[in-house]
Amino acid sequence: MTDLTVAMTLLMKVFDKYASEQGSPNTLNKAEVKNLLTAELPGLDKAMECKDVAASLIKDLDINKDQEIDFTEFMVLVTALSCILKD
């Protein structure tokens, strides 16, 4: 597999891992978002202590306003964070 194919596969696996913790296996709820951010992006721990980052992200990224993050909305987050880190 190419590097890009591996990266895409890993993104799908990470999403599925956390989405399957509770509720719908196709979306992330507030607790699942928080678990994902804590485990996969440990550098955000201090920011998460200061305010409810998971709730804020759900509100900002939840395009269809269903109080959960689907894979498309998750990819918006990943893309935005990647752009920030690249700069």
Side-chain angles (χ1 to χ4, degrees), residues 25-38:
N26 299 317
T27 59
L28 298 164
N29 63 28
K30 179 181 169 183
E32 291 165 333
V33 169
K34 188 170 185 173
N35 290 344
L36 185 152
L37 293 174
T38 300

Side-chain angles (χ1 to χ4, degrees), residues 4-58:
L4 184 56
T5 305
V6 170
M8 291 169 27
T9 300
L10 287 172
L11 286 168
M12 289 182 268
K13 285 182 179 182
V14 167
F15 179 86
D16 290 343
K17 174 183 174 182
Y18 292 95
S20 66
E21 288 181 348
Q22 306 171 10
S24 171
N26 299 317
T27 59
L28 298 164
N29 63 28
K30 179 181 169 183
E32 291 165 333
V33 169
K34 188 170 185 173
N35 290 344
L36 185 152
L37 293 174
T38 300
E40 302 295 333
L41 298 168
L44 291 180
D45 281 349
K46 289 192 185 285
M48 290 179 68
E49 290 173 8
C50 297
K51 59 182 181 177
D52 193 349
V53 173
S56 179
L57 282 173
I58 288 176

